[in-house]
Amino acid sequence: MPLISDKLPKIWYGGDYNPDQWPREIWQEDLRLFGKAHIDVATLPVFSWALLQPEEDRYDFAWLDDIFDQLAGGGIKVCLATSTAAHPAWMARRYPDILRVDFEGRKRKYGGRHKSCPNSPTYRLYAIRLAEKMAERYAGHDALVAWHISNEFSGYCYCDNCASAFRTWLQKRYGTLEELNRRWYTTFWSHTFYEWEEIVPPNILTEYWQPDKPQFQTIALDYNRFQSESLQECMRLERDAIRRHSPDVAITTNFMHAYKPLDYAAWARDLDVVSWDSYPSNRTHPAEPALWHALMRGLKGGQPFMLMETTPSQVNWQQYCQLKKPGTMRLHNYQAIAHGADTVMFFQLRQSLGASEKFHGAVISHAGHGEARVFREVAALGAELHRLGDKVVDARVEAQVAILFDWENWWAMENTAGPSKDWQYMPQISKYHRALWEQNIPVDLITTETDLMKYQVVVAPSLYLLQPGYASRIEAFVAAGGTFVTTFMSGMVDENDIVVPGGYPGELRRVTGIWVEEFDALYPDERNEIACGSDIPALAGTYEAGLICSVIHAETAKVIGTYTKDFYRGTPALTRNRFGAGTAWYIGADPEPGFVGKLLEHLCTERGIRPLLVTAENVEVTCRSKQGRTYLFVLNHNPAPVRVDLNGAIGTDLLTEKALEGTVEVEGYGVVILETITGNRTS
Ligand SMILES: [Zn+2]
């Protein structure tokens, strides 16, 4: 059975639909055009709270009943949204507790969206009630295939309700104020708290000296956790209301890939399926969406995910909203499928006439007919996905290399003061991911809950904050034969952002076999170098490195590379430690990308991990497999055709139904999906 719903055993194709913006005669035309484009799922009503609950005690579902039935009659399934992402104006007027207080301490007024306080009793009461009423009403509808809670949960609130809930959250976490004072290190700057009421949300009026830099990190980190959990609780309460009536339909909420304020790793535990909204621009390097897809796939241990939103053409919110050039919409969507998406869903199906999304791309544009370029491309892709049937549905990506991604680490490292404003998490993650992507080596993004033993190589760039017990899990992984790679500024602090004394990298000192005495921050125009001798021929050479240079003492580790400049010239910059049956590497500075590529290639080769295929630049290869069949995706991100050597693989291209072997030509922005029966690969 497909993971999301057995009612639609194919790659779902459709998207957000706002029939409430249109008269009913347009609905008929929409259904006709949906059929023409092979659209089989519509998400609605994402922002219709004001229509569904026009007054405090009155709900109106008549129009939704009508369109639900019409869609079902046209063979279109429904992904039903709970509509709680933008509260009605009457609610804000009558119950101001629903309005957030922002980071600057300003009480918001009605307007925009996503501005409900997550600890507002009014918001929780009415959001849960609406979700419950919808679940009661539509749970048994045959066209219902998924639940979509709210929309793109986001932002933090700093109001008095949140302050009060924060104190309760802290009491639960720390028990006593004495323990909180100890764990928060409140002896610093006279921060000792005598009463719980003295603790207030950290914002620009209190602990922040810049919008992204608190001066008292322990409280800021806990507020990150608390606000993420508050919104998660709102989502969970809606989920529970739905489940009471609709226990068998998959429930999701749409994520925004690496959205820093919310710990999606924790959120994903509450969902049946992860879904997310992907909006690469024409200038987004293709490795970036590959990283986002892998991150979303990793949140539920490799389970396929839903591409809930993407634009068929341009967006309305980038600085320069370029059109998707012919062929690239198709390519971007196959890239999502190649990394584990089991749906392709657009925002939006019909283009709004007014307000901020009127120039956001749509399947049916303002022209309103099926002759536009974008519609024709969408319809062509719809026909292809229709022909693919259930071929790749629920097939899994298998990787032997993983990159650790931890939201709490992200919050802590970027909250902290020093050592460099350019030390940021995403660029570090991207750099190591990119090196693997360029070599067509499958990689999973994993959370701190993922079992490390599934992998041969685990990379944890700048693992500054170590969760309790995580160092022991790394030690066990390496002792059992794993290859672990970590970098500068790792192992520095505990879960409260308090330094682990006794030499960095703290709890990672044993497994890495080094201790770090100091760390130097380089100006952007300064470079040091890492010089590697001929001990490991694949790494021999001198490589630029900068950002932060750790001054390292090797204990049990072997020195593989040394600095060539500054007073720490000749001291270790790159080390390898044998630990049990495995090895742990420490990269003391931020090296040039070429070095990262060489190192990861060397480590993969050592472990027998080979590229799926060796290809020209920007030709991406991924693999999904199920039930003895593998699907090798070859994606040409270049505008010009390329030739790709299949390295002995023989099979059928699912898109052209042609038998392929040897070397094949892939057209500009083209895609090949080579289906092979496992064992058919000759080398
Ligand atoms: Zn609030």
Side-chain angles (χ1 to χ4, degrees):
M1 181 187 128
L3 176 78
I4 316 170
S5 171
D6 56 3
K7 292 179 187 170
L8 198 50
K10 65 176 283 288
I11 301 289
W12 296 9
Y13 198 51
D16 277 30
Y17 181 43
N18 300 304
D20 40 328
Q21 295 178 12
W22 301 95
R24 290 176 187 230
E25 55 271 22
I26 297 286
W27 297 2
Q28 285 306 312
E29 177 62 1
D30 288 341
L31 281 170
R32 189 185 70 79
L33 290 169
F34 293 167
K36 213 173 156 184
H38 295 273
I39 279 168
D40 43 42
V41 62
T43 303
L44 79 166
V46 179
F47 287 106
S48 306
W49 199 345
L51 286 187
L52 294 170
Q53 191 183 2
E55 296 173 51
E56 186 161 2
D57 297 316
R58 189 165 69 84
Y59 289 83
D60 175 12
F61 294 103
W63 66 273
L64 187 56
D65 293 348
D66 194 1
I67 187 65
F68 211 124
D69 290 341
Q70 289 198 37
L71 288 166
I76 314 277
K77 305 297 184 199
V78 173
C79 172
L80 195 62
T82 58
S83 234
T84 54
H87 52 238
W90 64 257
M91 201 178 287
R93 175 167 48 84
R94 198 167 305 160
Y95 300 105
D97 72 279
I98 203 166
L99 297 163
R100 287 185 185 176
V101 168
D102 70 13
F103 183 75
E104 283 76 28
R106 298 170 301 198
K107 178 76 171 171
R108 290 194 60 94
K109 296 182 185 298
Y110 176 75
R113 66 180 207 187
H114 300 153
K115 296 293 186 269
S116 310
C117 163
N119 290 295
S120 151
T122 307
Y123 170 63
R124 290 189 173 203
L125 172 73
Y126 286 117
I128 296 163
R129 188 173 289 176
L130 182 56
E132 180 126 31
K133 281 183 178 294
M134 292 180 79
E136 276 172 359
R137 195 171 190 91
Y138 300 107
H141 206 297
D142 194 47
L144 177 69
V145 288
W147 285 99
H148 175 298
I149 295 174
S150 191
N151 181 73
E152 295 181 346
F153 278 100
S154 56
Y156 287 175
C157 179
Y158 303 84
C159 76
D160 290 345
N161 276 330
C162 285
S164 170
F166 184 44
R167 292 177 202 118
T168 305
W169 185 90
L170 292 170
Q171 284 168 5
K172 204 169 149 198
R173 186 175 176 89
Y174 297 108
T176 64
L177 263 184
E178 289 69 31
E179 179 65 2
L180 176 141
N181 278 317
R182 188 181 71 77
R183 299 273 294 277
W184 274 10
Y185 208 74
T186 57
T187 42
F188 184 77
W189 283 359
S190 198
H191 266 58
T192 304
F193 293 105
Y194 302 93
E195 301 289 341
W196 291 102
E197 287 66 33
E198 291 157 2
I199 299 170
V200 294
N203 64 11
I204 201 73
L205 303 177
T206 62
E207 297 293 359
Y208 279 76
W209 63 287
Q210 287 175 17
D212 59 347
K213 286 290 175 196
Q215 299 183 89
F216 211 83
Q217 286 82 17
T218 48
I219 185 171
L221 179 59
D222 271 347
Y223 207 70
N224 288 132
R225 291 181 173 122
F226 162 71
Q227 280 287 318
S228 178
E229 287 182 24
S230 293
L231 281 158
Q232 186 183 347
E233 195 179 346
C234 294
M235 180 269 286
R236 195 163 50 230
L237 289 167
E238 285 196 42
R239 180 204 66 177
D240 293 345
I242 293 166
R243 280 236 171 108
R244 284 193 281 275
H245 306 276
S246 181
D248 302 323
V249 177
I251 300 175
T252 190
T253 186
N254 47 341
F255 291 161
M256 296 174 285
H257 67 92
Y259 177 67
K260 187 177 168 187
L262 303 183
D263 180 357
Y264 287 154
W267 281 58
R269 291 196 285 271
D270 289 339
L271 300 172
D272 296 317
V273 59
V274 164
S275 65
W276 82 281
D277 303 343
S278 178
Y279 290 101
S281 77
N282 286 344
R283 295 211 171 171
T284 306
H285 190 281
E288 289 299 301
L291 166 60
W292 306 336
H293 294 309
L295 179 63
M296 296 293 97
R297 187 182 71 232
L299 295 177
K300 285 193 84 69
Q303 209 175 277
F305 56 88
M306 295 174 70
L307 181 62
M308 185 62 88
E309 291 182 21
T310 187
T311 180
S313 53
Q314 64 202 145
V315 297
N316 64 302
W317 46 266
Q318 286 162 350
Q319 295 276 315
Y320 305 95
C321 302
Q322 272 202 338
L323 297 176
K324 286 202 178 185
K325 309 301 179 198
T328 59
M329 179 278 293
R330 174 178 181 266
L331 175 65
H332 291 169
N333 288 322
Y334 276 120
Q335 187 188 24
I337 296 169
H339 286 279
D342 273 0
T343 74
V344 170
M345 294 161 74
F346 297 108
F347 183 88
Q348 50 197 329
L349 292 186
R350 181 178 275 273
Q351 197 165 24
S352 304
L353 296 183
S356 91
E357 284 165 345
K358 66 180 179 292
F359 294 133
H360 192 292
V363 171
I364 305 168
S365 68
H366 290 148
H369 55 65
E371 304 309 315
R373 173 185 71 91
V374 170
F375 184 88
R376 284 186 277 112
E377 288 193 35
V378 167
L381 178 58
E384 279 187 346
L385 295 178
H386 181 72
R387 282 199 304 275
L388 269 182
D390 68 350
K391 281 284 187 185
V392 301
V393 172
D394 206 28
R396 305 300 165 111
V397 174
E398 280 162 25
Q400 294 174 287
V401 184
I403 295 175
L404 177 68
F405 191 91
D406 180 23
W407 263 264
E408 295 202 357
N409 180 56
W410 190 5
W411 294 334
M413 67 181 272
E414 293 183 10
N415 278 348
T416 212
S420 166
K421 77 178 185 63
D422 295 333
W423 178 50
Q424 293 173 335
Y425 198 34
M426 281 314 295
Q428 293 300 316
I429 295 288
S430 287
K431 177 178 268 188
Y432 288 82
H433 172 269
R434 174 84 63 97
L436 293 159
W437 183 88
E438 284 174 347
Q439 297 175 49
N440 292 321
I441 292 172
V443 54
D444 282 347
L445 271 283
I446 60 170
T447 74
T448 53
E449 287 190 6
T450 312
D451 180 11
L452 299 176
M453 298 298 183
K454 295 198 306 198
Y455 299 96
Q456 307 244 23
V457 179
V458 171
V459 186
S462 288
L463 185 56
Y464 165 77
L465 178 150
L466 272 180
Q467 301 287 353
Y470 202 70
S472 310
R473 290 175 53 195
I474 292 169
E475 286 190 357
F477 165 72
V478 178
T483 299
F484 178 69
V485 181
T486 193
T487 72
F488 58 94
M489 298 299 287
S490 287
M492 309 288 281
V493 299
D494 69 8
E495 76 273 26
N496 282 96
D497 197 13
I498 304 296
V499 168
V500 178
Y504 320 121
E507 291 185 276
L508 296 178
R509 189 170 164 180
R510 230 164 66 97
V511 74
T512 54
I514 58 162
W515 76 277
V516 175
E517 182 173 347
E518 298 178 274
F519 45 87
D520 196 10
L522 274 56
Y523 283 92
D525 58 353
E526 291 178 335
R527 287 287 180 276
N528 205 313
E529 288 172 333
I530 301 175
C532 298
S534 52
D535 286 353
I536 301 174
L539 299 182
T542 300
Y543 309 91
E544 280 200 343
L547 186 61
I548 289 167
C549 294
S550 317
V551 181
I552 300 169
H553 300 271
E555 296 178 305
T556 55
K558 182 176 169 60
V559 178
I560 306 296
T562 53
Y563 295 111
T564 65
K565 296 178 184 170
D566 219 311
F567 74 91
Y568 38 89
R569 184 179 67 243
T571 68
L574 174 70
T575 61
R576 183 193 67 199
N577 193 42
R578 305 252 185 235
F579 186 84
T583 52
W585 291 74
Y586 188 90
I587 307 170
D590 186 36
E592 61 177 278
F595 170 79
V596 175
K598 277 192 179 181
L599 176 65
L600 292 180
E601 183 181 8
H602 168 67
L603 298 180
C604 287
T605 305
E606 258 188 348
R607 305 306 303 264
I609 303 165
R610 298 191 312 183
L612 289 168
L613 293 178
V614 176
T615 57
E617 198 177 348
N618 289 335
V619 179
E620 178 179 12
V621 184
T622 76
C623 187
R624 291 180 70 174
S625 55
K626 68 169 180 182
Q627 296 163 353
R629 285 167 198 270
T630 62
Y631 303 97
L632 197 66
F633 289 76
V634 182
L635 306 144
N636 180 11
H637 294 281
N638 303 292
V642 291
R643 294 195 69 75
V644 175
D645 180 352
L646 296 177
N647 191 30
I650 299 169
T652 307
D653 179 5
L654 292 181
L655 300 176
T656 59
E657 294 173 355
K658 283 185 187 153
L660 296 182
E661 63 176 299
T663 299
V664 297
E665 182 168 290
V666 185
E667 63 184 12
Y669 301 132
V671 180
V672 167
I673 308 175
L674 187 73
E675 182 185 46
T676 61
I677 313 294
T678 305
N680 237 9
R681 240 173 119 90
T682 55
S683 64

